[in-house]
């Protein structure tokens, strides 16, 4: 019992944590590269991304209800497919998302104080790590405030664009697109949806997880889809797919094109808050996966400790915060985390494969099969550099596992 986390999160708390991860900085940045890849098929790419995300979310929710422990797919793969597959999912998640944490912290710094982005990034990591140390409820309250502010900013963007004279419904019809480009656009938009996994990694801190998680995951995903669809339609209506593809700051450019240049600083502030919310959710998810892997000895067991008062994995949180702070202070990883994309797809592929083994119901098997196939197709559609770097990271993890397994004493096994 001393090593268990406190179950204190309800449905609304879990939904907010998921939204904080999904409605993060991606909505402010992902539309432009997705439009460059998908062309006139942007809305179709959004629909396909939502379908794959729904399948992954359904499989993850079923697994989380069966195994309501910290660690997400690390636990599911271990229990359903074997220790190696769980380890591989956990390795890819921890390594990839630690880099993502540093990248998101630097994004906060770039928006808040471009000339001192590294210092701001480190300060953000320290502040959020301290908040997490005080208990998951404190983190949930902070996430609630951030999500409310970001949704208000996005609502302003949608209203400003759709009510302006510059809005052209014909721009939504799209133009030319190719299948390969649509798949790349789908991949870019899919990663913006992937934050619902934060809910499942917190499975040990959710009240009545058998009911709460299956309700929270699709609810968070549904809200995020509505937000993404509304923002995409609004931006397309004033910029068109070509204008959106050429934009470096699509939502700021959209409100300027709509005749509301005064909203541009508000959009930038919303982007900074969104990045902060994503960082908070990422630190929560990575630290809980570190906790689960430390319990099994894949990471130093000292990281498996749970604070006796706050009932959080305080050593795992401090370790993750320290690594992320060092990375944010010394390197700019925003353009060098392609391997994270590959790792996320492998993570969800293992989740769907695990869900396939839960039962023989036609719907559940079909959803798991579509989710698994979607992850494989999107992984293959990634740029070659991203796929190769991701495969290299996973290969290093597999090598570490093999060496540790070979050196482990065989007695008593």
């Amino acid at each position: 019992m001393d090593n268990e986390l406190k179950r204190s999160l309800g449905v609304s708390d879990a939904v907010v944590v998921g939204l904080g991860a999904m409605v993060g900085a991606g909505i402010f940045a992902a539309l432009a590269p997705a439009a460059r890849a998908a062309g006139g098929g942007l809305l179709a790419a959004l629909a396909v991304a939502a379908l794959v995300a729904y399948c992954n979310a359904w499989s993850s929710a079923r697994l989380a209800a069966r195994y309501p422990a910290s660690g997400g797919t690390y636990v599911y793969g271990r229990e359903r497919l074997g220790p190696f597959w769980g380890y591989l999912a956990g390795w890819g998640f921890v390594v990839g998302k630690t880099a993502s944490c540093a990248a998101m912290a630097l994004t906060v710094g770039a928006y808040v104080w471009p000339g001192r982005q590294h210092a701001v990034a480190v300060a953000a990591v320290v502040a959020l790590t301290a908040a997490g140390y005080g208990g998951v409820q404190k983190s949930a309250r902070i996430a609630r405030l951030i999500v409310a502010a970001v949704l208000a900013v996005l609502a302003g963007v949608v209203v400003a664009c759709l009510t302006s004279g510059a809005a052209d419904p014909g721009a939504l019809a799209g133009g030319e697109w190719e299948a390969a480009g649509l798949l790349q656009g789908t991949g870019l938009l899919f990663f913006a949806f992937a934050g619902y996994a934060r809910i499942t990694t917190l499975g040990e801190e959710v009240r009545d997880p058998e009911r709460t998680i299956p309700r929270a995951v699709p609810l968070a995903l549904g809200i995020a889809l509505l937000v993404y669809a509304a923002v995409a339609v609004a931006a397309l209506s004033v910029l068109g797919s070509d204008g959106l593809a050429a934009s470096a700051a699509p939502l700021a450019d959209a409100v300027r094109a709509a005749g509301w240049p005064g909203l541009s600083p508000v959009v930038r502030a919303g982007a900074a808050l969104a990045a902060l919310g994503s960082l908070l959710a990422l630190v929560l998810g990575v630290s809980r996966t570190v906790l689960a892997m430390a319990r099994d000895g894949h990471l130093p067991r000292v990281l498996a400790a749970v604070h006796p008062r706050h009932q959080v994995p305080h050593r795992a949180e401090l370790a993750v915060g320290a690594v992320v702070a060092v990375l944010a202070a010394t390197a700019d990883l925003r353009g060098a985390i392609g391997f994270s994309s590959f790792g996320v797809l492998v993570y969800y592929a293992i989740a769907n494969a695990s869900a396939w083994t839960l039962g023989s119901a036609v719907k559940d098997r079909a959803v798991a099969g579509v989710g698994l196939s979607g992850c494989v197709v999107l992984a293959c559609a990634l740029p070659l550099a991203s796929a190769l770097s991701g495969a290299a990271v996973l290969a290093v993890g597999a090598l570490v596992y093999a060496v540790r397994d070979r050196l482990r004493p065989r007695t008593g096994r």
Side-chain angles (χ1 to χ4, degrees), residues 56-69 72-73 75-77 79-80 200 213-214 347-348 350-358:
N56 295 343
W58 179 270
S59 294
S60 298
R62 292 178 63 223
L63 289 159
R66 178 75 67 90
Y67 303 103
T73 300
V75 174
Y76 315 147
E79 296 297 324
R80 306 302 306 185
T200 61
I213 294 176
Y347 181 88
Y348 284 114
I350 293 173
N352 282 296
S354 301
W356 179 274
T357 69
L358 285 177

PDB file of all heavy atoms in Angstrom, residues 56-69 72-73 75-77 79-80 200 213-214 347-348 350-358:
ATOM      1  N   ASN A  56      -7.392   3.851 -31.392  1.00  0.00           N
ATOM      2  CA  ASN A  56      -6.373   3.741 -30.352  1.00  0.00           C
ATOM      3  C   ASN A  56      -6.943   4.062 -28.979  1.00  0.00           C
ATOM      4  O   ASN A  56      -6.615   3.423 -27.975  1.00  0.00           O
ATOM      5  CB  ASN A  56      -5.207   4.681 -30.654  1.00  0.00           C
ATOM      6  CG  ASN A  56      -4.460   4.301 -31.912  1.00  0.00           C
ATOM      7  OD1 ASN A  56      -4.581   3.179 -32.402  1.00  0.00           O
ATOM      8  ND2 ASN A  56      -3.698   5.223 -32.449  1.00  0.00           N
ATOM      9  N   ALA A  57      -7.786   5.090 -28.929  1.00  0.00           N
ATOM     10  CA  ALA A  57      -8.379   5.491 -27.656  1.00  0.00           C
ATOM     11  C   ALA A  57      -9.302   4.403 -27.113  1.00  0.00           C
ATOM     12  O   ALA A  57      -9.311   4.123 -25.906  1.00  0.00           O
ATOM     13  CB  ALA A  57      -9.147   6.805 -27.829  1.00  0.00           C
ATOM     14  N   TRP A  58     -10.087   3.783 -27.987  1.00  0.00           N
ATOM     15  CA  TRP A  58     -11.003   2.720 -27.564  1.00  0.00           C
ATOM     16  C   TRP A  58     -10.210   1.538 -27.001  1.00  0.00           C
ATOM     17  O   TRP A  58     -10.536   1.006 -25.930  1.00  0.00           O
ATOM     18  CB  TRP A  58     -11.861   2.279 -28.743  1.00  0.00           C
ATOM     19  CG  TRP A  58     -12.826   1.168 -28.431  1.00  0.00           C
ATOM     20  CD1 TRP A  58     -12.609  -0.168 -28.542  1.00  0.00           C
ATOM     21  CD2 TRP A  58     -14.161   1.317 -27.919  1.00  0.00           C
ATOM     22  NE1 TRP A  58     -13.716  -0.888 -28.155  1.00  0.00           N
ATOM     23  CE2 TRP A  58     -14.690  -0.002 -27.761  1.00  0.00           C
ATOM     24  CE3 TRP A  58     -14.953   2.402 -27.596  1.00  0.00           C
ATOM     25  CZ2 TRP A  58     -15.979  -0.226 -27.297  1.00  0.00           C
ATOM     26  CZ3 TRP A  58     -16.244   2.165 -27.132  1.00  0.00           C
ATOM     27  CH2 TRP A  58     -16.738   0.874 -26.979  1.00  0.00           C
ATOM     28  N   SER A  59      -9.173   1.144 -27.712  1.00  0.00           N
ATOM     29  CA  SER A  59      -8.346   0.034 -27.239  1.00  0.00           C
ATOM     30  C   SER A  59      -7.670   0.382 -25.915  1.00  0.00           C
ATOM     31  O   SER A  59      -7.636  -0.425 -24.981  1.00  0.00           O
ATOM     32  CB  SER A  59      -7.282  -0.309 -28.286  1.00  0.00           C
ATOM     33  OG  SER A  59      -7.875  -0.824 -29.463  1.00  0.00           O
ATOM     34  N   SER A  60      -7.129   1.606 -25.813  1.00  0.00           N
ATOM     35  CA  SER A  60      -6.445   2.021 -24.595  1.00  0.00           C
ATOM     36  C   SER A  60      -7.404   2.078 -23.416  1.00  0.00           C
ATOM     37  O   SER A  60      -7.048   1.695 -22.288  1.00  0.00           O
ATOM     38  CB  SER A  60      -5.787   3.395 -24.801  1.00  0.00           C
ATOM     39  OG  SER A  60      -4.804   3.344 -25.808  1.00  0.00           O
ATOM     40  N   ALA A  61      -8.612   2.563 -23.647  1.00  0.00           N
ATOM     41  CA  ALA A  61      -9.593   2.663 -22.568  1.00  0.00           C
ATOM     42  C   ALA A  61      -9.992   1.283 -22.054  1.00  0.00           C
ATOM     43  O   ALA A  61     -10.138   1.065 -20.844  1.00  0.00           O
ATOM     44  CB  ALA A  61     -10.822   3.431 -23.050  1.00  0.00           C
ATOM     45  N   ARG A  62     -10.182   0.318 -22.964  1.00  0.00           N
ATOM     46  CA  ARG A  62     -10.525  -1.040 -22.542  1.00  0.00           C
ATOM     47  C   ARG A  62      -9.403  -1.645 -21.707  1.00  0.00           C
ATOM     48  O   ARG A  62      -9.647  -2.290 -20.684  1.00  0.00           O
ATOM     49  CB  ARG A  62     -10.790  -1.925 -23.768  1.00  0.00           C
ATOM     50  CG  ARG A  62     -12.039  -1.566 -24.551  1.00  0.00           C
ATOM     51  CD  ARG A  62     -12.184  -2.463 -25.767  1.00  0.00           C
ATOM     52  NE  ARG A  62     -12.346  -3.854 -25.384  1.00  0.00           N
ATOM     53  CZ  ARG A  62     -11.732  -4.872 -25.969  1.00  0.00           C
ATOM     54  NH1 ARG A  62     -10.882  -4.655 -26.950  1.00  0.00           N
ATOM     55  NH2 ARG A  62     -11.947  -6.109 -25.573  1.00  0.00           N
ATOM     56  N   LEU A  63      -8.173  -1.424 -22.145  1.00  0.00           N
ATOM     57  CA  LEU A  63      -7.028  -1.963 -21.417  1.00  0.00           C
ATOM     58  C   LEU A  63      -6.866  -1.286 -20.060  1.00  0.00           C
ATOM     59  O   LEU A  63      -6.560  -1.939 -19.056  1.00  0.00           O
ATOM     60  CB  LEU A  63      -5.766  -1.782 -22.249  1.00  0.00           C
ATOM     61  CG  LEU A  63      -5.669  -2.683 -23.485  1.00  0.00           C
ATOM     62  CD1 LEU A  63      -4.689  -2.098 -24.492  1.00  0.00           C
ATOM     63  CD2 LEU A  63      -5.243  -4.102 -23.088  1.00  0.00           C
ATOM     64  N   ALA A  64      -7.080   0.038 -20.018  1.00  0.00           N
ATOM     65  CA  ALA A  64      -6.925   0.768 -18.763  1.00  0.00           C
ATOM     66  C   ALA A  64      -7.963   0.343 -17.739  1.00  0.00           C
ATOM     67  O   ALA A  64      -7.692   0.308 -16.531  1.00  0.00           O
ATOM     68  CB  ALA A  64      -7.023   2.267 -19.016  1.00  0.00           C
ATOM     69  N   ALA A  65      -9.159   0.010 -18.202  1.00  0.00           N
ATOM     70  CA  ALA A  65     -10.190  -0.476 -17.282  1.00  0.00           C
ATOM     71  C   ALA A  65      -9.813  -1.842 -16.711  1.00  0.00           C
ATOM     72  O   ALA A  65     -10.121  -2.152 -15.556  1.00  0.00           O
ATOM     73  CB  ALA A  65     -11.535  -0.547 -18.001  1.00  0.00           C
ATOM     74  N   ARG A  66      -9.124  -2.656 -17.509  1.00  0.00           N
ATOM     75  CA  ARG A  66      -8.703  -3.981 -17.049  1.00  0.00           C
ATOM     76  C   ARG A  66      -7.453  -3.895 -16.169  1.00  0.00           C
ATOM     77  O   ARG A  66      -7.307  -4.651 -15.203  1.00  0.00           O
ATOM     78  CB  ARG A  66      -8.408  -4.864 -18.265  1.00  0.00           C
ATOM     79  CG  ARG A  66      -7.907  -6.266 -17.930  1.00  0.00           C
ATOM     80  CD  ARG A  66      -9.021  -7.160 -17.434  1.00  0.00           C
ATOM     81  NE  ARG A  66      -9.983  -7.435 -18.466  1.00  0.00           N
ATOM     82  CZ  ARG A  66      -9.921  -8.473 -19.312  1.00  0.00           C
ATOM     83  NH1 ARG A  66      -8.915  -9.327 -19.225  1.00  0.00           N
ATOM     84  NH2 ARG A  66     -10.859  -8.660 -20.210  1.00  0.00           N
ATOM     85  N   TYR A  67      -6.559  -2.957 -16.498  1.00  0.00           N
ATOM     86  CA  TYR A  67      -5.290  -2.822 -15.757  1.00  0.00           C
ATOM     87  C   TYR A  67      -5.135  -1.371 -15.291  1.00  0.00           C
ATOM     88  O   TYR A  67      -4.398  -0.583 -15.904  1.00  0.00           O
ATOM     89  CB  TYR A  67      -4.110  -3.221 -16.639  1.00  0.00           C
ATOM     90  CG  TYR A  67      -4.220  -4.617 -17.190  1.00  0.00           C
ATOM     91  CD1 TYR A  67      -4.595  -4.839 -18.513  1.00  0.00           C
ATOM     92  CD2 TYR A  67      -3.966  -5.724 -16.377  1.00  0.00           C
ATOM     93  CE1 TYR A  67      -4.709  -6.127 -19.013  1.00  0.00           C
ATOM     94  CE2 TYR A  67      -4.077  -7.013 -16.874  1.00  0.00           C
ATOM     95  CZ  TYR A  67      -4.456  -7.208 -18.194  1.00  0.00           C
ATOM     96  OH  TYR A  67      -4.574  -8.490 -18.687  1.00  0.00           O
ATOM     97  N   PRO A  68      -5.838  -0.983 -14.228  1.00  0.00           N
ATOM     98  CA  PRO A  68      -5.829   0.416 -13.776  1.00  0.00           C
ATOM     99  C   PRO A  68      -4.588   0.764 -12.957  1.00  0.00           C
ATOM    100  O   PRO A  68      -4.658   1.057 -11.765  1.00  0.00           O
ATOM    101  CB  PRO A  68      -7.099   0.498 -12.932  1.00  0.00           C
ATOM    102  CG  PRO A  68      -7.261  -0.879 -12.358  1.00  0.00           C
ATOM    103  CD  PRO A  68      -6.766  -1.825 -13.425  1.00  0.00           C
ATOM    104  N   ALA A  69      -3.418   0.682 -13.601  1.00  0.00           N
ATOM    105  CA  ALA A  69      -2.155   0.970 -12.923  1.00  0.00           C
ATOM    106  C   ALA A  69      -1.388   2.007 -13.726  1.00  0.00           C
ATOM    107  O   ALA A  69      -1.643   2.218 -14.914  1.00  0.00           O
ATOM    108  CB  ALA A  69      -1.318  -0.303 -12.780  1.00  0.00           C
ATOM    109  N   GLY A  72       0.411   2.978 -18.470  1.00  0.00           N
ATOM    110  CA  GLY A  72      -0.210   2.903 -19.782  1.00  0.00           C
ATOM    111  C   GLY A  72       0.173   1.656 -20.550  1.00  0.00           C
ATOM    112  O   GLY A  72       0.159   0.538 -20.029  1.00  0.00           O
ATOM    113  N   THR A  73       0.573   1.839 -21.809  1.00  0.00           N
ATOM    114  CA  THR A  73       0.837   0.703 -22.692  1.00  0.00           C
ATOM    115  C   THR A  73       2.017  -0.134 -22.221  1.00  0.00           C
ATOM    116  O   THR A  73       2.115  -1.320 -22.567  1.00  0.00           O
ATOM    117  CB  THR A  73       1.063   1.203 -24.131  1.00  0.00           C
ATOM    118  OG1 THR A  73      -0.125   1.881 -24.569  1.00  0.00           O
ATOM    119  CG2 THR A  73       1.342   0.073 -25.095  1.00  0.00           C
ATOM    120  N   VAL A  75       2.335  -1.240 -19.262  1.00  0.00           N
ATOM    121  CA  VAL A  75       1.661  -2.263 -18.453  1.00  0.00           C
ATOM    122  C   VAL A  75       0.856  -3.201 -19.342  1.00  0.00           C
ATOM    123  O   VAL A  75       0.896  -4.427 -19.178  1.00  0.00           O
ATOM    124  CB  VAL A  75       0.755  -1.605 -17.402  1.00  0.00           C
ATOM    125  CG1 VAL A  75      -0.074  -2.654 -16.653  1.00  0.00           C
ATOM    126  CG2 VAL A  75       1.576  -0.782 -16.418  1.00  0.00           C
ATOM    127  N   TYR A  76       0.125  -2.630 -20.316  1.00  0.00           N
ATOM    128  CA  TYR A  76      -0.748  -3.460 -21.153  1.00  0.00           C
ATOM    129  C   TYR A  76       0.071  -4.446 -21.991  1.00  0.00           C
ATOM    130  O   TYR A  76      -0.284  -5.628 -22.104  1.00  0.00           O
ATOM    131  CB  TYR A  76      -1.602  -2.592 -22.090  1.00  0.00           C
ATOM    132  CG  TYR A  76      -2.221  -1.397 -21.433  1.00  0.00           C
ATOM    133  CD1 TYR A  76      -2.418  -0.215 -22.142  1.00  0.00           C
ATOM    134  CD2 TYR A  76      -2.614  -1.424 -20.093  1.00  0.00           C
ATOM    135  CE1 TYR A  76      -2.982   0.896 -21.545  1.00  0.00           C
ATOM    136  CE2 TYR A  76      -3.185  -0.311 -19.490  1.00  0.00           C
ATOM    137  CZ  TYR A  76      -3.352   0.849 -20.221  1.00  0.00           C
ATOM    138  OH  TYR A  76      -3.902   1.952 -19.638  1.00  0.00           O
ATOM    139  N   GLY A  77       1.150  -3.962 -22.591  1.00  0.00           N
ATOM    140  CA  GLY A  77       1.987  -4.849 -23.389  1.00  0.00           C
ATOM    141  C   GLY A  77       2.612  -5.940 -22.545  1.00  0.00           C
ATOM    142  O   GLY A  77       2.694  -7.098 -22.956  1.00  0.00           O
ATOM    143  N   GLU A  79       1.447  -7.234 -19.752  1.00  0.00           N
ATOM    144  CA  GLU A  79       0.447  -8.197 -19.280  1.00  0.00           C
ATOM    145  C   GLU A  79      -0.152  -9.044 -20.406  1.00  0.00           C
ATOM    146  O   GLU A  79      -0.477 -10.209 -20.196  1.00  0.00           O
ATOM    147  CB  GLU A  79      -0.677  -7.460 -18.551  1.00  0.00           C
ATOM    148  CG  GLU A  79      -0.227  -6.745 -17.278  1.00  0.00           C
ATOM    149  CD  GLU A  79       0.285  -7.703 -16.230  1.00  0.00           C
ATOM    150  OE1 GLU A  79      -0.270  -8.819 -16.117  1.00  0.00           O
ATOM    151  OE2 GLU A  79       1.253  -7.363 -15.520  1.00  0.00           O
ATOM    152  N   ARG A  80      -0.303  -8.472 -21.599  1.00  0.00           N
ATOM    153  CA  ARG A  80      -1.012  -9.181 -22.672  1.00  0.00           C
ATOM    154  C   ARG A  80      -0.076  -9.835 -23.687  1.00  0.00           C
ATOM    155  O   ARG A  80      -0.407 -10.880 -24.258  1.00  0.00           O
ATOM    156  CB  ARG A  80      -1.946  -8.216 -23.423  1.00  0.00           C
ATOM    157  CG  ARG A  80      -2.921  -7.466 -22.558  1.00  0.00           C
ATOM    158  CD  ARG A  80      -3.832  -8.361 -21.743  1.00  0.00           C
ATOM    159  NE  ARG A  80      -4.553  -9.356 -22.535  1.00  0.00           N
ATOM    160  CZ  ARG A  80      -5.478 -10.174 -22.041  1.00  0.00           C
ATOM    161  NH1 ARG A  80      -5.788 -10.108 -20.741  1.00  0.00           N
ATOM    162  NH2 ARG A  80      -6.085 -11.052 -22.804  1.00  0.00           N
ATOM    163  N   THR A 200      -4.610   7.378 -19.529  1.00  0.00           N
ATOM    164  CA  THR A 200      -4.367   5.977 -19.186  1.00  0.00           C
ATOM    165  C   THR A 200      -3.090   5.806 -18.367  1.00  0.00           C
ATOM    166  O   THR A 200      -3.004   4.907 -17.534  1.00  0.00           O
ATOM    167  CB  THR A 200      -4.297   5.110 -20.455  1.00  0.00           C
ATOM    168  OG1 THR A 200      -3.212   5.544 -21.282  1.00  0.00           O
ATOM    169  CG2 THR A 200      -5.587   5.225 -21.256  1.00  0.00           C
ATOM    170  N   ILE A 213     -12.182   5.809 -16.730  1.00  0.00           N
ATOM    171  CA  ILE A 213     -11.305   5.908 -17.897  1.00  0.00           C
ATOM    172  C   ILE A 213     -12.051   5.670 -19.207  1.00  0.00           C
ATOM    173  O   ILE A 213     -11.884   6.450 -20.161  1.00  0.00           O
ATOM    174  CB  ILE A 213     -10.102   4.960 -17.746  1.00  0.00           C
ATOM    175  CG1 ILE A 213      -9.228   5.423 -16.578  1.00  0.00           C
ATOM    176  CG2 ILE A 213      -9.290   4.902 -19.031  1.00  0.00           C
ATOM    177  CD1 ILE A 213      -8.058   4.526 -16.273  1.00  0.00           C
ATOM    178  N   PRO A 214     -12.916   4.627 -19.324  1.00  0.00           N
ATOM    179  CA  PRO A 214     -13.660   4.463 -20.579  1.00  0.00           C
ATOM    180  C   PRO A 214     -14.590   5.631 -20.891  1.00  0.00           C
ATOM    181  O   PRO A 214     -14.955   5.826 -22.048  1.00  0.00           O
ATOM    182  CB  PRO A 214     -14.458   3.165 -20.346  1.00  0.00           C
ATOM    183  CG  PRO A 214     -13.663   2.410 -19.339  1.00  0.00           C
ATOM    184  CD  PRO A 214     -13.102   3.463 -18.431  1.00  0.00           C
ATOM    185  N   TYR A 347       4.122   2.671 -29.954  1.00  0.00           N
ATOM    186  CA  TYR A 347       3.441   2.616 -28.650  1.00  0.00           C
ATOM    187  C   TYR A 347       1.966   2.238 -28.823  1.00  0.00           C
ATOM    188  O   TYR A 347       1.457   1.317 -28.165  1.00  0.00           O
ATOM    189  CB  TYR A 347       3.587   3.988 -27.995  1.00  0.00           C
ATOM    190  CG  TYR A 347       2.977   4.152 -26.620  1.00  0.00           C
ATOM    191  CD1 TYR A 347       3.708   3.834 -25.485  1.00  0.00           C
ATOM    192  CD2 TYR A 347       1.698   4.670 -26.458  1.00  0.00           C
ATOM    193  CE1 TYR A 347       3.177   4.027 -24.211  1.00  0.00           C
ATOM    194  CE2 TYR A 347       1.154   4.860 -25.201  1.00  0.00           C
ATOM    195  CZ  TYR A 347       1.899   4.538 -24.078  1.00  0.00           C
ATOM    196  OH  TYR A 347       1.363   4.726 -22.831  1.00  0.00           O
ATOM    197  N   TYR A 348       1.284   2.917 -29.751  1.00  0.00           N
ATOM    198  CA  TYR A 348      -0.138   2.632 -29.949  1.00  0.00           C
ATOM    199  C   TYR A 348      -0.362   1.330 -30.716  1.00  0.00           C
ATOM    200  O   TYR A 348      -1.392   0.668 -30.528  1.00  0.00           O
ATOM    201  CB  TYR A 348      -0.821   3.796 -30.665  1.00  0.00           C
ATOM    202  CG  TYR A 348      -1.054   4.972 -29.750  1.00  0.00           C
ATOM    203  CD1 TYR A 348      -0.408   6.171 -29.951  1.00  0.00           C
ATOM    204  CD2 TYR A 348      -1.914   4.858 -28.662  1.00  0.00           C
ATOM    205  CE1 TYR A 348      -0.613   7.242 -29.101  1.00  0.00           C
ATOM    206  CE2 TYR A 348      -2.131   5.925 -27.814  1.00  0.00           C
ATOM    207  CZ  TYR A 348      -1.473   7.113 -28.031  1.00  0.00           C
ATOM    208  OH  TYR A 348      -1.673   8.172 -27.179  1.00  0.00           O
ATOM    209  N   ILE A 350       1.361  -1.340 -30.207  1.00  0.00           N
ATOM    210  CA  ILE A 350       1.409  -2.344 -29.135  1.00  0.00           C
ATOM    211  C   ILE A 350       0.139  -2.308 -28.305  1.00  0.00           C
ATOM    212  O   ILE A 350      -0.374  -3.360 -27.884  1.00  0.00           O
ATOM    213  CB  ILE A 350       2.662  -2.113 -28.269  1.00  0.00           C
ATOM    214  CG1 ILE A 350       3.922  -2.412 -29.090  1.00  0.00           C
ATOM    215  CG2 ILE A 350       2.635  -2.991 -27.014  1.00  0.00           C
ATOM    216  CD1 ILE A 350       5.220  -2.068 -28.387  1.00  0.00           C
ATOM    217  N   ALA A 351      -0.422  -1.121 -28.096  1.00  0.00           N
ATOM    218  CA  ALA A 351      -1.688  -1.019 -27.362  1.00  0.00           C
ATOM    219  C   ALA A 351      -2.803  -1.744 -28.100  1.00  0.00           C
ATOM    220  O   ALA A 351      -3.585  -2.494 -27.503  1.00  0.00           O
ATOM    221  CB  ALA A 351      -2.058   0.450 -27.142  1.00  0.00           C
ATOM    222  N   ASN A 352      -2.898  -1.540 -29.410  1.00  0.00           N
ATOM    223  CA  ASN A 352      -3.943  -2.210 -30.189  1.00  0.00           C
ATOM    224  C   ASN A 352      -3.724  -3.718 -30.244  1.00  0.00           C
ATOM    225  O   ASN A 352      -4.691  -4.495 -30.172  1.00  0.00           O
ATOM    226  CB  ASN A 352      -3.979  -1.627 -31.604  1.00  0.00           C
ATOM    227  CG  ASN A 352      -4.692  -0.292 -31.665  1.00  0.00           C
ATOM    228  OD1 ASN A 352      -5.885  -0.201 -31.404  1.00  0.00           O
ATOM    229  ND2 ASN A 352      -3.968   0.762 -32.001  1.00  0.00           N
ATOM    230  N   ALA A 353      -2.471  -4.149 -30.392  1.00  0.00           N
ATOM    231  CA  ALA A 353      -2.188  -5.585 -30.383  1.00  0.00           C
ATOM    232  C   ALA A 353      -2.564  -6.197 -29.037  1.00  0.00           C
ATOM    233  O   ALA A 353      -3.074  -7.325 -28.977  1.00  0.00           O
ATOM    234  CB  ALA A 353      -0.709  -5.823 -30.689  1.00  0.00           C
ATOM    235  N   SER A 354      -2.329  -5.443 -27.955  1.00  0.00           N
ATOM    236  CA  SER A 354      -2.707  -5.925 -26.627  1.00  0.00           C
ATOM    237  C   SER A 354      -4.221  -6.021 -26.498  1.00  0.00           C
ATOM    238  O   SER A 354      -4.756  -6.992 -25.945  1.00  0.00           O
ATOM    239  CB  SER A 354      -2.150  -4.977 -25.556  1.00  0.00           C
ATOM    240  OG  SER A 354      -0.747  -4.887 -25.627  1.00  0.00           O
ATOM    241  N   ALA A 355      -4.934  -5.003 -27.011  1.00  0.00           N
ATOM    242  CA  ALA A 355      -6.395  -5.016 -26.928  1.00  0.00           C
ATOM    243  C   ALA A 355      -6.993  -6.156 -27.750  1.00  0.00           C
ATOM    244  O   ALA A 355      -8.054  -6.697 -27.398  1.00  0.00           O
ATOM    245  CB  ALA A 355      -6.951  -3.670 -27.411  1.00  0.00           C
ATOM    246  N   TRP A 356      -6.318  -6.535 -28.839  1.00  0.00           N
ATOM    247  CA  TRP A 356      -6.802  -7.645 -29.677  1.00  0.00           C
ATOM    248  C   TRP A 356      -6.938  -8.929 -28.852  1.00  0.00           C
ATOM    249  O   TRP A 356      -7.806  -9.753 -29.120  1.00  0.00           O
ATOM    250  CB  TRP A 356      -5.833  -7.844 -30.836  1.00  0.00           C
ATOM    251  CG  TRP A 356      -6.197  -8.966 -31.766  1.00  0.00           C
ATOM    252  CD1 TRP A 356      -5.883 -10.279 -31.629  1.00  0.00           C
ATOM    253  CD2 TRP A 356      -6.958  -8.854 -32.975  1.00  0.00           C
ATOM    254  NE1 TRP A 356      -6.376 -11.010 -32.669  1.00  0.00           N
ATOM    255  CE2 TRP A 356      -7.044 -10.163 -33.519  1.00  0.00           C
ATOM    256  CE3 TRP A 356      -7.549  -7.809 -33.654  1.00  0.00           C
ATOM    257  CZ2 TRP A 356      -7.705 -10.418 -34.716  1.00  0.00           C
ATOM    258  CZ3 TRP A 356      -8.214  -8.065 -34.848  1.00  0.00           C
ATOM    259  CH2 TRP A 356      -8.293  -9.355 -35.361  1.00  0.00           C
ATOM    260  N   THR A 357      -6.099  -9.091 -27.847  1.00  0.00           N
ATOM    261  CA  THR A 357      -6.086 -10.326 -27.066  1.00  0.00           C
ATOM    262  C   THR A 357      -7.136 -10.341 -25.950  1.00  0.00           C
ATOM    263  O   THR A 357      -7.280 -11.353 -25.265  1.00  0.00           O
ATOM    264  CB  THR A 357      -4.702 -10.548 -26.416  1.00  0.00           C
ATOM    265  OG1 THR A 357      -4.487  -9.550 -25.394  1.00  0.00           O
ATOM    266  CG2 THR A 357      -3.591 -10.439 -27.449  1.00  0.00           C
ATOM    267  N   LEU A 358      -7.853  -9.228 -25.764  1.00  0.00           N
ATOM    268  CA  LEU A 358      -8.787  -9.154 -24.630  1.00  0.00           C
ATOM    269  C   LEU A 358     -10.028 -10.022 -24.815  1.00  0.00           C
ATOM    270  O   LEU A 358     -10.609 -10.490 -23.855  1.00  0.00           O
ATOM    271  CB  LEU A 358      -9.226  -7.703 -24.393  1.00  0.00           C
ATOM    272  CG  LEU A 358      -8.202  -6.779 -23.730  1.00  0.00           C
ATOM    273  CD1 LEU A 358      -8.765  -5.368 -23.636  1.00  0.00           C
ATOM    274  CD2 LEU A 358      -7.847  -7.293 -22.329  1.00  0.00           C
TER     275      LEU A 358
END
